[in-house]
């Protein structure tokens, strides 16, 4: 407004670092953990935050806040789910039109450390606090919770590990694969869908909360 010609601005490309995990202790010894998005370091950071929460006293319950979390890395979603689930249980599966698109991912290092390039192949979930797998737990979701968030919420719901509270999630349950067309080009195609451990598709329908 008030300008007779467009303003010219110089845009500088930069790396935006988002702190994906935050935590605090609420009243009545209830732990609160917020995951903003699923990045490479999200699961190791989660382990550290859970440990810090119980320095003075073990939480009586835990709130995992995934509201408005748009998702991120599949490996990170599997790892976060594994932090709260028993070993080796099914976390998520994919199904497509061809056999190679059909896969199952379980709560085990071989599935969440597949592309782990941070420092080593050491299992960062090996020293997760014991109470993380047993403490009463609520997961907060809304329509902004998508993709990896829905994988975590669906896995914890199906295994009856947590109560899901909020609104129906976004419904981004499709798998994209990049197919190379040459040295510098490729095409991203949707090749499969994500399914929760009970076999429910996340696509369009999302995850329905236990309590709306």
């Amino acid at each position: 407004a008030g300008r007779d010609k467009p303003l010219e601005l110089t845009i500088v490309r930069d790396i935006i670092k988002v702190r994906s995990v935050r935590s605090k202790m609420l009243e009545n010894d209830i732990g609160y953990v917020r995951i903003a998005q699923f990045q490479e370091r999200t699961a190791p950071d989660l382990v550290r935050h859970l440990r810090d929460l119980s320095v003075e006293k073990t939480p009586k319950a835990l709130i995992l806040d995934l509201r408005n979390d748009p998702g991120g890395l599949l490996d990170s979603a599997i790892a976060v789910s594994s932090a709260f689930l028993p070993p080796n249980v099914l976390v998520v599966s994919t199904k497509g039109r061809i056999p190679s698109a059909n896969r199952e991912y379980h709560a085990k290092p071989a599935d969440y450390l597949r592309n782990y390039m941070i420092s080593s192949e050491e299992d960062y979930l090996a020293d997760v606090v014991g109470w993380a797998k047993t403490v009463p737990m609520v997961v907060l979701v809304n329509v902004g919770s998508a993709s990896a968030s829905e994988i975590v919420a669906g896995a914890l719901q199906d295994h009856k590990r947590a109560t899901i509270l909020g609104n129906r999630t976004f419904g981004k349950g499709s798998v994209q694969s990049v197919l190379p067309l040459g040295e510098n080009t490729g095409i991203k195609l949707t090749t499969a869908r994500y399914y929760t451990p009970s076999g429910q598709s996340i696509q369009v329908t999302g995850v329905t909360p236990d309590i709306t």
Side-chain angles (χ1 to χ4, degrees), residues 142-174:
N142 64 6
V143 70
S145 306
S147 192
S149 298
E150 297 175 288
I151 289 173
V152 173
L156 297 181
Q157 182 183 54
D158 282 3
H159 289 295
K160 295 181 170 48
R161 174 63 190 90
T163 298
I164 311 301
L165 176 67
N167 302 116
R168 184 177 65 82
T169 60
F170 183 81
K172 197 281 181 185
S174 58

Side-chain angles (χ1 to χ4, degrees), residues 98 100-101 175-192:
I98 60 177
S100 61
V175 183
Q176 282 72 47
S177 300
V178 177
L179 306 179
L181 297 178
E183 287 190 12
N184 301 313
T185 59
I187 185 170
K188 181 181 282 190
L189 294 177
T190 297
T191 56

Side-chain angles (χ1 to χ4, degrees), residues 110-130:
D111 283 353
Y112 58 75
L113 291 176
R114 296 174 305 144
N115 301 309
Y116 192 58
M117 300 292 291
I118 299 172
S119 58
S120 69
E121 293 298 312
E122 182 180 358
D123 181 8
Y124 46 75
L125 289 185
D127 58 350
V128 67
V129 289

Side-chain angles (χ1 to χ4, degrees), residues 90 92-96 99-106 110-111 114:
L90 179 63
V92 67
S93 62
T94 62
K95 296 178 184 177
S100 61
N102 302 333
R103 292 202 58 180
E104 291 187 346
Y105 300 92
H106 297 80
D111 283 353
R114 296 174 305 144

